[in-house]
Amino acid sequence: MIRVRFAPSPTGNVHIGNIRAAIFNWLYARHTGGKFLLRIEDTDLQRSTPEAIQKVLDAMQWLGLDYDEEAVYQTHNRPDHEAAVEKLLATGHAYRAKKGEGGECVLFRMPTEGTVEFDDLVKGHMRKKAEDLQDFVIVRSDGSPVFHLANVVDDIKQGITHVIRGDDHVENTFKHIQIFKALGAPVPVYAHLPMIVNAQGKPYSKRDGAAFIGEFKEQGFLPETLFNFLLLLGWAPGDDREIMTREEMIEAFSLERCKSSPSRFDMKKLLWMNGEYIAHMPREAFRAFFAGRLAEAGLPPQPLACTLDELIPCIQIRTKTLNDIPKNCAFFFTDDVAYDPAAVEKRLHKPEVPARLLAVAEAFEKLPEFTEAATEEVIRAMAAELGGMGPLVHPVRVAVSGVMEGPGLFEMLALLGRDRVLARLRKAATL
């Protein structure tokens, strides 16, 4: 049976590169009918606090990454690490040596002739000359095991068959293979995932924007979106599909379809994808998010001049992140319109705008019925004299809503009602 693992070091926030590796491991286990395991590599006692560990667990739960056996904590495996060191010392694969002023360490003895090779399921055949590999520390002078030793011993204990991780570990793999062999254990199959990079092709980091799972959640992204998006950073289903259900991902996933070249993080694509997930969310689910965000903002539960059932459809299809609520629709719930200063400066502070807003208000006031179609007819007729819709549509939108984005203008006007629209147009003419 295939057994894979996610083995994070809980030293703070959970980076998207780390959770992307968890997603690939989880999908491979689910696709093959194998086991997905969690191992918390908590040997850095100063940084691996209960809070840091909880962040890992919360991120996994939020993304739906369930694991199949009880979580293993690396610090609990210390006796196994010590036994492995004694075995390596006894067989001559390791030796004690002084390292600077730090006291006596244990080093692993790398081969001095030939090559170290392995077949990577993503990167292909990997090979290094033994002369390019150096002996390395596996136990520090304080007696604590180094990552290389603990990682391998724990993989042996958990029966890991496939190690799927970022390609920043490739150099480590040459070392780890030799430890597996020295301990007489089968060497797992390796698959190293491509690096996530920014627009300049450099490793994606906090400097480029949100980089930690908690940040994406705070910014109003859905877990389904982030899961789907991170999967496509280094893998493709082989057709034109981009938005996939979890079941479709499991069915289509294979390591053979992983890419070896770096994957560029595209925020525009993530926003588009999140908007698609929100647009196709069951109406009741969106309504629950919507009500929660209104309450957080201190807004009333019902809009001023229409019903929630009338309002929600036009909001849902235009929402890119949950944080757009209530930012882009608060004006439906209060007459105390919060005008975006940038929007006012761009759309309202032009000499000709006040007169145009008053003219629109006068035309709207004369309409027999205040409907989407009627308001659109008025605006189009007046815009024809101005050579385009922009000089009217943009100022009217900001005048009645305070912002530059939101539902379709004529839909918005009808939902707000004639009296409210007229009052806001005339007020905006004085800003």
Side-chain angles (χ1 to χ4, degrees):
M1 177 181 285
I2 285 173
R3 293 171 64 84
V4 296
R5 46 70 169 178
F6 176 44
S9 298
T11 54
N13 293 313
V14 184
H15 191 274
I16 55 170
N18 291 335
I19 212 71
R20 195 257 317 244
I23 288 170
F24 279 53
N25 277 280
W26 186 89
L27 284 171
Y28 189 60
R30 298 294 172 260
H31 176 78
T32 60
K35 298 289 187 182
F36 172 69
L37 312 179
L38 173 63
R39 182 170 74 237
I40 303 293
E41 299 199 332
D42 57 343
T43 51
D44 186 340
L45 298 178
Q46 286 188 323
R47 299 174 70 192
S48 296
T49 62
E51 293 77 18
I53 293 171
Q54 192 59 47
K55 283 186 177 181
V56 172
L57 300 176
D58 289 345
M60 293 183 68
Q61 183 178 29
W62 187 62
L63 289 166
L65 293 168
D66 56 320
Y67 41 96
D68 298 309
E69 295 177 5
E70 188 175 348
V72 169
Y73 288 79
Q74 195 166 63
T75 48
H76 298 173
N77 290 344
R78 185 70 173 267
D80 299 284
H81 304 152
E82 293 170 351
V85 172
E86 294 304 318
K87 181 176 181 179
L88 294 172
L89 287 168
T91 56
H93 288 100
Y95 59 95
R96 300 183 188 278
K98 294 283 186 182
K99 287 290 278 188
E101 300 298 321
E104 189 177 72
C105 301
V106 178
L107 279 73
F108 184 83
R109 196 187 306 277
M110 290 295 279
T112 56
E113 297 178 347
T115 60
V116 177
E117 305 180 37
F118 67 96
D119 288 313
D120 190 289
L121 291 182
V122 175
K123 302 179 76 69
H125 189 71
M126 307 295 290
R127 180 176 181 270
K128 259 189 180 294
K129 293 180 181 178
E131 62 195 57
D132 295 330
L133 300 166
Q134 298 181 329
D135 296 354
F136 57 93
V137 174
I138 55 174
V139 179
R140 302 180 186 89
S141 57
D142 64 1
S144 62
V146 171
F147 160 75
H148 303 298
L149 176 80
N151 189 266
V152 169
V153 172
D154 293 349
D155 279 346
I156 294 171
K157 185 174 182 180
Q158 289 189 282
I160 301 302
T161 62
H162 292 67
V163 175
I164 306 167
R165 58 189 181 186
D167 65 4
D168 54 324
H169 280 289
V170 168
E171 292 301 312
N172 292 335
T173 298
F174 288 104
K175 300 174 181 178
H176 295 180
I177 287 172
Q178 294 307 113
I179 300 177
F180 275 108
K181 290 179 177 178
L183 290 172
V187 178
V189 177
Y190 284 92
H192 290 92
L193 307 176
M195 185 173 291
I196 300 175
V197 297
N198 61 17
Q200 290 73 45
K202 296 181 178 179
Y204 185 87
S205 69
K206 176 64 177 169
R207 291 188 298 275
D208 301 301
F212 305 119
I213 301 304
E215 292 177 306
F216 289 97
K217 183 178 181 181
E218 289 169 4
Q219 290 179 11
F221 289 95
L222 298 175
E224 297 87 350
T225 304
L226 194 60
F227 191 107
N228 195 155
F229 178 78
L230 292 177
L231 170 61
L232 298 179
L233 292 182
W235 179 86
D239 50 36
D240 294 332
R241 285 181 295 172
E242 289 195 304
I243 294 180
M244 305 169 68
T245 66
R246 196 67 62 99
E247 292 72 23
E248 288 170 337
M249 296 176 200
I250 292 170
E251 183 180 356
F253 188 81
S254 71
L255 290 173
E256 288 70 28
R257 297 212 63 84
C258 292
K259 304 171 185 176
S260 59
S261 56
S263 298
R264 186 171 69 88
F265 188 100
D266 185 345
M267 178 56 78
K268 288 184 179 178
K269 182 175 181 179
L270 178 60
L271 282 167
W272 165 80
M273 185 176 283
N274 203 54
E276 290 294 301
Y277 268 98
I278 290 174
H280 292 91
M281 181 186 294
R283 185 58 48 78
E284 285 306 309
F286 180 79
R287 189 187 185 109
F289 278 119
F290 192 81
R293 294 296 173 117
L294 290 178
E296 288 172 12
L299 291 170
Q302 295 294 327
L304 295 168
C306 61
T307 67
L308 270 182
D309 288 338
E310 291 172 320
L311 178 62
I312 281 179
C314 70
I315 299 296
Q316 183 171 354
I317 61 172
R318 292 176 177 86
T319 299
K320 297 300 181 186
T321 75
L322 296 178
N323 285 8
D324 291 345
I325 311 165
K327 182 175 60 176
N328 291 343
C329 62
F331 56 90
F332 283 110
F333 296 85
T334 176
D335 282 321
D336 185 17
V337 177
Y339 286 93
D340 175 11
V344 170
E345 184 63 32
K346 185 174 182 178
R347 302 301 188 194
L348 302 186
H349 283 178
K350 294 178 181 178
E352 68 278 9
V353 167
R356 289 177 182 174
L357 293 178
L358 292 174
V360 170
E362 185 178 349
F364 281 174
E365 194 166 26
K366 294 176 181 176
L367 286 173
E369 288 187 301
F370 195 73
T371 63
E372 285 184 49
T375 55
E376 182 173 2
E377 187 176 342
V378 166
I379 295 292
R380 287 195 180 279
M382 297 178 70
E385 300 176 11
L386 301 175
M389 296 283 281
L392 275 183
V393 166
H394 297 313
V396 169
R397 173 181 290 281
V398 174
V400 300
S401 71
V403 292
M404 290 189 282
E405 297 180 354
L409 176 62
F410 309 112
E411 195 174 16
M412 179 172 75
L413 295 174
L415 290 170
L416 282 169
R418 189 197 315 253
D419 293 346
R420 191 160 275 106
V421 168
L422 296 182
R424 292 182 185 184
L425 286 170
R426 287 164 179 157
K427 178 183 177 182
T430 66
L431 293 177

